[in-house]
Amino acid sequence: MKKKITPLEVLKEAELILSQRGEELGDYEELYKNLAVRINLMLGDQLKEPIKAWQAAKIIGEMKYARMDVGGYKRDHVIDGGNYGFITGALYENDS
């Protein structure tokens, strides 16, 4: 019989990955502020208002869930989607 996984076990794995990515990729606020600038440069004349850093992070999270819609369930998609949600929340609450 396969052992059931709990949400807390998935969360612990997500926390580890989030920590590792932070060490590898640097400051998340700087990254998503930069991404927001790039999105605004690309779509500027088509937007009613400029994209903020938290919205850029949310877009990346939506991409992970879209991958699941197209390619099926992969644990990586769920963990990364959750982590992008955490990043989105931190950026939003820090007014980024």
Side-chain angles (χ1 to χ4, degrees):
M1 176 189 245
K2 186 177 175 184
K3 178 189 176 283
K4 286 189 173 184
I5 187 137
T6 68
L8 285 176
E9 290 171 317
V10 177
L11 176 61
K12 287 177 187 174
E13 187 175 339
E15 181 181 25
L16 178 63
I17 290 170
L18 190 60
S19 177
Q20 289 172 341
R21 296 296 185 274
E23 290 175 17
E24 291 172 16
L25 303 175
D27 181 59
Y28 73 95
E29 286 187 275
E30 182 181 357
L31 173 65
Y32 288 100
K33 284 179 181 179
N34 187 325
L35 179 56
V37 167
R38 296 174 67 88
I39 292 170
N40 287 317
L41 287 171
M42 185 177 74
L43 299 175
D45 62 337
Q46 299 171 48
L47 299 171
K48 291 180 183 177
E49 294 181 30
I51 298 289
K52 295 184 178 185
W54 71 266
Q55 293 167 312
K58 185 174 185 283
I59 289 168
I60 301 300
E62 293 294 341
M63 180 190 66
K64 290 304 266 188
Y65 292 123
R67 284 183 179 169
M68 216 166 45
D69 294 342
V70 172
Y73 175 84
K74 288 188 181 166
R75 189 172 179 163
D76 176 71
H77 299 330
V78 171
I79 289 172
D80 285 350
N83 280 340
Y84 288 120
F86 302 142
I87 290 168
T88 298
L91 290 168
Y92 185 91
E93 292 194 29
N94 292 328
D95 199 32
S96 294

